[in-house]
Amino acid sequence: MAEPLLEARGVTKHFGHVQALQGADFTAWPGEVVALIGDNGAGKSTLVKTLSGTIRPDGGQILVDGAPVRLTSPLDARRYGIETVYQDLALAPDLDAAANLHLGRELFRGGLLGRLHVLDRGAMRRSAVRAFAELGVDLQDVDVPVASLSGGQRQSVAVARAVAFANRIIFMDEPTAALGVVQRGRVLDTIRRVRDRGIAVVLISHNMPEVLSVADRVEVLRLGRRVARFTAAQSSVEELVGAMTGALDPAVNGGGA
Ligand SMILES: Nc1ncnc2c1ncn2[C@@H]1O[C@H](COP(=O)(O)OP(=O)(O)OP(=O)(O)O)[C@@H](O)[C@H]1O
Ligand SMILES: [Mg+2]
């Protein structure tokens, strides 16, 4: 039996008085798209940040390939093949798209120049153009600072960056929120393509039809806890919304355990 690629068990995290995660569980398997859904404030972004090394959980366990790990930084998570598209994108606004794509993973020229750490801007530019073309992103100019791109273009740069480097799991925190219809379709196609390479894609989205069209499974977070899991092909928008809001809880429906 295969192990989950990544698992969270009973993860807790508080910010002051706010208990953002109250014993959250989460599982991602190889080669699946798993949607992580929940209302605003349910703890989705916090969970993603604990699983990508950005924030330290107060308690609980994180397992990679079945073994407990401590993710101390995003760099540490990357070493496990974990890439993240953050909800706030985490791009460097003053750098151009190519430099953003290679942020923290700059390419250097070989030979003596490599030892002198001279950036290979040509190589980074070419690889960026390739990455954006693969995603169908139409950037007129990869040399302008990301700050001057449109919101949707910036989102595409963040997605291209994660896709270019992930080899195990990609978290995408609302990657299509700022996208138009065509670009949204391309990102969803990219998600399927990445999944077919055996990578797990974790998609956070408030768009339920989008979730059902691209996800294989759905995990539902409410008040910092996993409250339901669904096979996408066997569930409906009504069921997902019911689980997110608690309307489907047995107690609310008058049923009992
Ligand atoms: N850095 C922070 N400082 C203080 N409180 C925070 C911080 N980050 C998150 N929280 C709180 O933790 C809770 C969960 O927030 P989180 O961003 O994880 O929710 P979410 O499910 O991603 O919501 P959304 O769908 O709106 O993005 C919220 O009550 C939020 O206010
Ligand atoms: Mg969020």
Coordinates of all heavy atoms in Angstrom, one line a residue, residues 86 89 155 222:
Y86 N 1.4 31.1 -2.9 CA 0.7 31.7 -1.8 C -0.4 32.5 -2.2 O -0.4 33.1 -3.3 CB 1.7 32.5 -0.9 CG 2.8 31.6 -0.3 CD1 4.0 31.5 -0.9 CD2 2.5 30.9 0.8 CE1 5.0 30.7 -0.3 CE2 3.5 30.1 1.4 CZ 4.7 30.0 0.8 OH 5.7 29.2 1.3
L89 N 0.7 35.6 -3.2 CA 1.7 35.4 -4.3 C 3.1 35.4 -3.9 O 3.9 34.7 -4.5 CB 1.4 36.4 -5.4 CG 0.0 36.3 -6.0 CD1 -0.1 37.3 -7.2 CD2 -0.4 34.9 -6.4
Q155 N -0.4 36.5 -11.0 CA -0.9 35.2 -10.5 C -0.3 34.1 -11.4 O 0.2 33.1 -10.9 CB -2.4 35.1 -10.5 CG -2.9 34.0 -9.7 CD -4.3 34.4 -9.0 OE1 -5.1 35.0 -9.6 NE2 -4.4 34.0 -7.8
R222 N -13.2 23.2 8.5 CA -14.1 24.1 9.2 C -13.6 24.4 10.6 O -13.3 23.5 11.3 CB -15.5 23.6 9.2 CG -16.5 24.6 9.6 CD -18.0 24.3 9.4 NE -18.5 23.4 10.4 CZ -18.9 22.1 10.2 NH1 -18.9 21.6 9.0 NH2 -19.4 21.4 11.2

